[in-house]
Amino acid sequence: SAVISQKPSRDICQRGTSLTIQCQVDSQVTMMFWYRQQPGQSLTLIATANQGSEATYESGFVIDKFPISRPNLTFSTLTVSNMSPEDSSIYLCSTDGGREIDEQFFGPGTRLTVL
Amino acid sequence: AQSVSQHNHHVILSEAASLELGCNYSYGGTVNLFWYVQYPGQHLQLLLKYFSGDPLVKGIKGFEAEFIKSKFSFNLRKPSVQWSDTAEYFCAVNKGANNLFFGTGTRLTVIP
């Protein structure tokens, strides 16, 4: 299994600003994922982040809005850029724990409110 | 559009009642199926998963789910719920990659 922590746990931000969310895993993993859970909706995959390569974004998500870093095998960041109230969501980091097509382990999430 | 549907948004049961939460998906071909649970204030965690083999899978805490391919369904069941089962339950699907597609979740409230 993998234990994941995220910072910050929650934040309230002003429109037009950016927030970087950090995700730390307690072991080295190949794949890390970023999800968004908007109020009353399901989790939606934003992008997949592999160490040493550019993140792969899902349809509807772009790098300019959600730049991702993956500097090593235990850490990743997601930045929510030029925020608007529509970006108010819970953002979750996950990893597959280094095993292919197996369960994913999730972080506690970051609750973002944009005013 | 391809999707994962959970029909029950909020289920309220008394302790010892039986539980069945519906999950249907619209993806064709081979799929891997999951149920995740999120207890209040805790992380999402895996309850059970189906990749192949026996379509009736057993998970933690007495939960089980049955994969019915012809119905594109993967319903979650528990014969007797406890107050500690109060949580949000998410059905999820992937198609051989690691991208998980989630349903909207079902909130279960168990009344002591």
Side-chain angles (χ1 to χ4, degrees), chain A residues 35 42-43 106, chain B residues 3-8 21-27 31-38 44-48 50 65-67 72-76 88-94 100-107:
Chain A
Y35 289 84
S42 65
L43 285 79
F106 286 84
Chain B
S3 67
V4 181
S5 301
Q6 292 182 242
H7 316 295
N8 314 104
L21 302 182
C23 174
N24 288 89
Y25 61 94
S26 62
Y27 302 91
V31 294
N32 301 312
L33 299 155
F34 306 81
W35 275 96
Y36 279 83
V37 60
Q38 188 168 29
L44 268 172
Q45 58 186 282
L46 184 70
L47 202 53
L48 48 79
Y50 173 79
E66 185 175 13
F67 169 54
F72 295 88
S73 71
F74 190 56
N75 292 356
L76 181 70
E88 187 135 18
Y89 293 81
F90 294 91
C91 181
V93 175
N94 75 20
L100 277 174
F101 297 93
F102 283 85
T104 52
T106 298
R107 184 187 305 174

Side-chain angles (χ1 to χ4, degrees), chain A residues 13-105:
Chain A
C13 301
Q14 295 296 322
R15 179 196 299 263
T17 62
S18 297
L19 176 72
T20 295
I21 302 168
Q22 299 179 7
C23 177
Q24 180 75 52
V25 187
D26 69 342
S27 58
Q28 293 185 338
V29 295
T30 304
M31 302 182 77
M32 295 179 74
F33 307 90
W34 287 98
Y35 289 84
R36 180 176 73 181
Q37 185 178 20
Q38 292 179 300
Q41 299 188 27
S42 65
L43 285 79
T44 303
L45 183 64
I46 297 172
T48 301
N50 291 341
Q51 196 268 334
S53 63
E54 296 250 343
T56 303
Y57 289 82
E58 297 299 308
S59 175
F61 297 97
V62 295
I63 188 171
D64 290 346
K65 176 67 176 177
F66 297 102
I68 287 171
S69 79
R70 183 77 203 275
N72 58 51
L73 291 172
T74 64
F75 188 78
S76 178
T77 67
L78 170 77
T79 299
V80 186
S81 303
N82 187 25
M83 288 184 285
S84 66
E86 292 71 36
D87 294 319
S88 297
S89 288
I90 298 173
Y91 292 86
L92 295 110
C93 170
S94 78
T95 177
D96 62 356
R99 297 172 62 183
E100 186 178 351
I101 316 178
D102 207 341
E103 67 178 288
Q104 287 189 16
F105 302 92

